[in-house]
Amino acid sequence: MSDSLYFAHVTDIHISERESQGDPSASLAACLMRECITHLNALPDLDFVLITGDVMDVAGVAERDAFLEILDTLRKPWHFVPGNHDGFIDPFHPNALKPHEAVARIDPRLADPVPAAQKACWSRSVSPGVQLIALDTRIADDWAGEVEPAQLDWLREQIEAHQDAVIIIATHHPLHQLGPHNNRGRLHKFICSNGAEVEAVLDQYPNVKLVISGHHHTNHLSLVNNDNGQRLRVVTSALGDYSCSHRAIRLEKREAGWRVCIQTHQTDDVDMLQTMRRRAATTGIAREFDPNNLAAWATFCEGRPHDLNYDGYLR
Ligand SMILES: [Fe+2]
Ligand SMILES: [Fe+2]
C-alpha cells in the first residue's frame, strides 16, 4: 500500500423531516452534517470519506434531497454503505421511498443490481494495496441486520481475490456484540444476527485489519486477537444523533506492524449537543437499555475514553 491511508468515518446522519411533525430538534442533523463536511473539507490529506448508512430518517423525498444537497458540498471522494433507514418497504412507512428509489439516487454506483436488501455490497480499491469491501447487512422489512449465505460466499471470494491487499470491511450493522444488552429485547437488532459467522470468515485472513460499522449509535472500539493476527472493530456513534461524532482514521505500514490512529471529533456546538443528549434519554431504546437510568444510554453512546482515540499497532 502507499505509505499512509487517511479517511473519515461518518455514519447515521439521520437527516430528518420530522421537524414538520413537531420535533424541533429534527433539523439539527442537517446542521451537524454541514459542520462535519466543513471540517472534512479542511483536512488536506484526507483520502476519502466512508459513510455507513442511515443518512435519512423516515426516507422521505425531502430528506433524500436535503442529504444530497449537503453531500454536494463535500470536496473529497466518498463511499456509501446503505442502512436500514435509507428506504423502507414495510407497511409502517407507506410514504417512504423504497430502497431502490433512495439508495440508487444517493449513490448511482449502487443502482445495478437493484439495491434491495443484501444486494448493495461492493468491493473497491481505495488506494494501491488497500481494498474496501462493503457488506449490505440490511434485511427487507426490519431494522435488524444479517449477511445472507450468498453474500457470505461473495465475501470469501473477494477476500481470496485480494490476499495481497490490506482489507477494510464496512458494514451498517456491527458484526459483534457491544455488550450484554445486545441479548435483551429489541437491542439484539443493533447487531448483525449472524455476525459471529461472518467474523469466523474474517478470522481466517490476517490481511483483514479493520471492520467499520454504524447503526448502534455508539462509539466503541474492540481488538480481535487470533492466531492469524489482529484486527480492530470500529463502531462510530451517530453524527445526527447523540453523541454527534465522526472519526478520522489513519492506517500506516510500519516495521512493527500496521499502525492505526483514530481520532473522534464531536460537534463544537455545545447547545446542540445538550439538546441531542436530552432527546436520547426520551427514547424507547433508552428505557430498554436501563429503565432505572435513562441517561445511561447517552453515556453508553458517548463511549468510554478508550473508545474515542486509538494509537496502536496491529500485528
Ligand atoms: Fe441509525
Ligand atoms: Fe441503522
Side-chain angles (χ1 to χ4, degrees), residues 11 22 66 89 94 110 120 142 231 248 258 278 280 313:
T11 194
I89 63 163
L110 304 183
D142 201 293
R231 68 176 180 274
W258 296 97
R278 282 194 297 272
Y313 287 87

Side-chain angles (χ1 to χ4, degrees), residues 5-10 39-40 43 46 236 246-251 260-265 308-310:
L5 182 72
Y6 186 41
F7 65 99
H9 181 213
V10 179
H39 173 243
L40 298 179
L43 299 175
L46 194 74
T236 299
H246 67 277
R247 312 248 210 199
I249 302 172
R250 193 180 293 275
L251 183 64
V260 180
C261 299
I262 297 177
Q263 290 186 311
T264 303
H265 297 270
L308 303 182
N309 297 306
Y310 182 91

Side-chain angles (χ1 to χ4, degrees), residues 34 39-40 61 73 75 85 113 117 121 142 148 152 194 217 219 232 264 279 305:
R34 285 191 197 94
H39 173 243
L40 298 179
V61 172
T73 65
R75 300 287 170 246
H85 282 261
C121 51
D142 201 293
E148 288 181 354
L152 202 52
N194 65 337
H217 292 209
N219 285 318
L232 189 65
T264 303
R279 191 171 76 162

Side-chain angles (χ1 to χ4, degrees), residues 26-303:
S27 63
L28 298 184
C31 300
L32 289 159
M33 184 177 170
R34 285 191 197 94
E35 180 194 37
C36 174
I37 287 182
T38 300
H39 173 243
L40 298 179
N41 282 339
L43 299 175
D45 57 343
L46 194 74
D47 292 305
F48 64 88
V49 178
L50 173 63
I51 304 168
T52 55
D54 281 3
V55 300
M56 298 183 288
D57 199 44
V58 295
V61 172
E63 291 180 358
R64 182 194 64 188
D65 292 349
F67 170 76
L68 287 171
E69 186 181 329
I70 303 171
L71 184 67
D72 194 47
T73 65
L74 178 62
R75 300 287 170 246
K76 308 288 180 183
W78 54 269
H79 301 278
F80 170 64
V81 183
N84 53 295
H85 282 261
D86 299 324
F88 291 92
I89 63 163
D90 65 76
F92 297 105
H93 298 86
N95 300 318
L97 293 168
K98 306 290 183 284
H100 70 272
E101 295 169 322
V103 171
R105 173 82 171 83
I106 288 168
D107 189 345
R109 292 170 290 188
L110 304 183
D112 184 18
V114 173
Q118 302 287 316
K119 302 297 184 200
C121 51
W122 48 264
S123 176
R124 296 174 194 149
S125 172
V126 289
S127 176
V130 184
Q131 195 73 15
L132 180 58
I133 299 176
L135 299 176
D136 182 358
T137 53
R138 295 171 300 157
I139 58 178
D141 54 0
D142 201 293
W143 60 282
E146 188 181 40
V147 177
E148 288 181 354
Q151 195 177 174
L152 202 52
D153 290 342
W154 173 86
L155 172 65
R156 280 193 199 90
E157 290 168 12
Q158 286 300 316
I159 300 176
E160 287 286 342
H162 297 96
Q163 293 267 20
D164 296 332
V166 176
I167 292 177
I168 301 169
I169 305 286
T171 67
H172 181 63
H173 299 75
L175 301 177
H176 63 293
Q177 289 208 351
L178 275 64
H181 63 280
N182 288 131
N183 291 316
R184 295 200 313 264
R186 293 184 302 162
L187 304 181
H188 72 92
K189 297 187 181 189
F190 273 127
I191 62 171
C192 211
S193 62
N194 65 337
E197 194 181 351
V198 183
E199 290 214 299
V201 172
L202 304 183
D203 283 345
Q204 298 168 24
Y205 299 96
N207 54 325
V208 178
K209 286 298 174 207
L210 295 172
V211 181
I212 299 178
S213 312
H215 184 64
H216 207 299
H217 292 209
T218 301
N219 285 318
H220 201 272
L221 299 178
S222 61
L223 194 60
V224 179
N225 280 294
N226 61 48
D227 292 343
N228 282 326
Q230 296 174 309
R231 68 176 180 274
L232 189 65
R233 301 159 168 150
V234 180
V235 182
T236 299
S237 83
L239 179 67
D241 191 7
Y242 196 73
S243 64
C244 312
S245 304
H246 67 277
R247 312 248 210 199
I249 302 172
R250 193 180 293 275
L251 183 64
E252 297 173 310
K253 179 142 178 61
R254 297 286 184 87
E255 281 192 16
W258 296 97
R259 184 182 181 195
V260 180
C261 299
I262 297 177
Q263 290 186 311
T264 303
H265 297 270
Q266 194 170 44
T267 177
D268 293 328
D269 190 324
V270 175
D271 290 340
M272 188 146 41
L273 203 55
Q274 287 179 346
T275 299
M276 289 300 206
R277 197 177 206 288
R278 282 194 297 272
R279 191 171 76 162
T282 67
T283 61
I285 293 296
R287 282 191 293 278
E288 285 190 43
F289 186 75
D290 188 344
N292 300 312
N293 179 10
L294 298 182
W297 171 242
T299 301
F300 184 77
C301 292
E302 286 171 12

